[in-house]
Amino acid sequence: MKIQIFSSFLLCVLFCFQTSSLKGKSEQQAELIAEPVRDSLSFFAGYPLVFYLPETRLGFAAAGVYTFRSQHSTGNSASNLQALLGYTLNKQLLIFTSYSIFRKENRHFFGGELGYYDYFYPFYGVGNETKLASEEDFFVKFPRLKSKYLIKNSYGFYLGPTLHLEDYNIFKTQPNGILDNQLVNGSNGSRLFGLGLSGLTDKRNVQFYPSKGYFIDASLLYYRVAYDSSNIDYFRFSLSYSHYLSIKENLIVAFNLFQEVVGENAPLQEKALYGGPKYARGYVIGRFRDNLQTVVQSELRFPLFWRLKGVAFLSVGNVGENVRDLKNNIKATYGAGLRVLLSKEEQLHIRIDYGRSREGGNFYVTIGEAF
């Protein structure tokens, strides 16, 4: 099963629209991926998606992105709001919004996500040697809130508190499967409360499509999780480091290192999940899951014509119960993609990627780069 959305690229282009707000006044444009005005302070684009999966039948979604800068904004950072509303003929619902907001001359940062999901996911077990044939689907409903408030210090580093709330209600599992027999934490669902610290530093020349500089994002959270009548604690640490090089005009090489460490008591949805639209593209998200994860990936980004750009990417990584396990059965993925420029000023793109692994391939359609 492939749970990633496969969307028609043609629909993205034909139905894209944009509005630009000028300094001191507001204008709306209904052009096909219209050229934003260079001195605009804000940008909006919306588009429909159509997708089909054997398990969902036909599905429909509406997605949008809004970027803006305050009049007192400094540097290259722009605030960003994204939203998606999706529904399938099997009565599955996805509602999601994410936000990254800079205030007070970019000295204060608010970021996070808010969503509600009535969906299903595949589960193959825990570990880095689980079999594709062991797949069992589970159906879940849950709201999720992630929020962080960071303050920039004199060294240009943002630091502040982070909150994560989630009520994971698993209401249907495969009879006599791993989850039905309650063999892993969170088989019946879980309620979690996470609180900790997050930090980031941003030295990119452009926020959404950088050609030089680096970006670091890290967090450490303490979780209290309720399983039925018991409470269990664990910690989660994550680190993402991205670096960008311009080797010649309009030819960019991007690197990313992602590291994740999760306590062994974490519920199944909070394990380190391998695969998906950001890390190890080509594997279904959660194809492998465990307490540790390391992924190293690179991209070559280059122009094509008009508003189109091309990307080739490669990644290697693994999950494991401990560091020694990360060396066993290392997993590689590769692929290519197209970028459709939405905002020339912000360098914001629609991303269409196709990733391959030794188990097959997956399409991914979203807004913004993987890293």
Side-chain angles (χ1 to χ4, degrees):
M1 181 193 66
K2 299 179 176 65
I3 65 172
Q4 283 76 21
I5 294 176
F6 172 73
S7 172
S8 168
F9 165 69
L10 186 58
L11 279 174
C12 290
V13 175
L14 290 178
F15 289 94
C16 243
F17 66 91
Q18 168 188 304
T19 63
S20 296
S21 297
L22 300 182
K23 197 171 185 179
K25 67 176 181 178
S26 177
E27 291 184 357
Q28 292 190 340
Q29 302 173 355
E31 299 175 345
L32 175 65
I33 315 183
E35 180 77 18
V37 180
R38 181 165 295 277
D39 62 350
S40 65
L41 292 177
S42 64
F43 165 84
F44 174 75
Y47 58 95
L49 301 175
V50 177
F51 59 95
Y52 179 86
L53 301 171
E55 298 81 4
T56 66
R57 296 189 292 168
L58 197 63
F60 308 91
V65 58
Y66 175 55
T67 66
F68 61 94
R69 298 172 184 267
S70 68
Q71 293 184 352
H72 303 291
S73 177
T74 60
N76 296 314
S77 297
S79 296
N80 176 29
L81 301 175
Q82 296 189 29
L84 182 141
L85 171 62
Y87 185 78
T88 77
L89 295 186
N90 278 353
K91 300 181 179 180
Q92 294 158 319
L93 179 67
L94 303 92
I95 305 173
F96 172 85
T97 182
S98 65
Y99 56 93
S100 300
I101 301 174
F102 293 89
R103 296 293 304 277
K104 297 183 178 180
E105 299 180 346
N106 292 354
R107 291 184 290 108
H108 295 234
F109 172 79
F110 301 86
E113 66 177 81
L114 176 64
Y116 177 80
Y117 306 86
D118 181 351
Y119 209 62
F120 68 92
Y121 296 95
F123 181 74
Y124 305 88
V126 177
N128 62 19
E129 295 184 354
T130 57
K131 304 301 181 182
L132 191 62
S134 301
E135 175 189 335
E136 55 183 79
D137 296 337
F138 65 95
F139 293 75
V140 60
K141 298 178 181 179
F142 64 99
R144 171 187 288 160
L145 170 65
K146 291 184 177 181
S147 185
K148 63 179 69 173
Y149 170 56
L150 311 181
I151 299 176
K152 188 177 183 180
N153 60 27
S154 58
Y155 298 99
F157 185 76
Y158 290 88
L159 184 67
T162 296
L163 174 69
H164 180 189
L165 302 175
E166 192 168 289
D167 187 359
Y168 209 71
N169 176 25
I170 298 177
F171 63 91
K172 181 181 179 182
T173 59
Q174 181 174 306
N176 204 33
I178 296 175
L179 301 182
D180 188 48
N181 290 319
Q182 301 182 30
L183 300 179
V184 297
N185 284 342
S187 296
N188 286 333
S190 59
R191 292 182 177 179
L192 62 86
F193 170 83
L195 186 63
L197 287 175
S198 290
L200 66 86
T201 182
D202 189 353
K203 300 297 183 181
R204 298 171 294 183
N205 62 328
V206 178
Q207 182 178 358
F208 297 114
Y209 196 81
S211 60
K212 62 180 180 180
Y214 62 90
F215 179 79
I216 303 174
D217 187 7
S219 65
L220 176 63
L221 281 81
Y222 163 81
Y223 283 89
R224 167 61 61 93
V225 184
Y227 302 122
D228 296 326
S229 60
S230 62
N231 294 321
I232 299 178
D233 303 332
Y234 69 93
F235 284 90
R236 168 188 286 274
F237 170 77
S238 65
L239 170 67
S240 179
Y241 172 78
S242 301
H243 201 101
Y244 309 90
L245 299 171
S246 181
I247 57 178
K248 61 183 300 185
E249 186 177 4
N250 296 323
L251 189 62
I252 301 168
V253 177
F255 301 93
N256 174 256
L257 167 66
F258 180 70
Q259 178 72 60
E260 197 170 24
V261 182
V262 185
E264 62 180 1
N265 293 325
L268 62 96
Q269 81 274 15
E270 282 293 293
K271 293 290 188 181
L273 305 180
Y274 196 80
K278 295 187 66 176
Y279 308 106
R281 284 162 284 178
Y283 283 109
V284 172
I285 188 168
R287 171 62 186 90
F288 302 95
R289 66 183 74 202
D290 215 320
N291 300 332
L292 305 177
Q293 177 174 210
T294 298
V295 181
V296 179
Q297 53 186 343
S298 62
E299 285 191 355
L300 179 64
R301 303 171 179 175
F302 49 90
L304 294 174
F305 60 91
W306 187 55
R307 289 176 173 267
L308 298 182
K309 298 175 183 175
V311 168
F313 55 86
L314 173 70
S315 73
V316 293
N318 208 354
V319 299
E321 184 178 3
N322 51 54
V323 175
R324 183 174 58 256
D325 289 343
L326 295 177
K327 303 176 183 179
N328 301 325
N329 196 21
I330 293 175
K331 301 158 184 63
T333 67
Y334 62 93
L338 285 174
R339 303 294 182 265
V340 183
L341 185 63
L342 289 176
S343 170
K344 187 175 181 180
E345 183 179 64
E346 300 293 352
Q347 286 296 295
L348 183 65
H349 300 80
I350 293 176
R351 173 163 64 96
I352 306 109
D353 285 337
Y354 179 69
R356 293 282 304 178
S357 71
R358 62 192 178 193
E359 296 180 347
N362 287 287
F363 279 96
Y364 309 88
V365 180
T366 186
I367 294 177
E369 303 308 308
F371 59 91

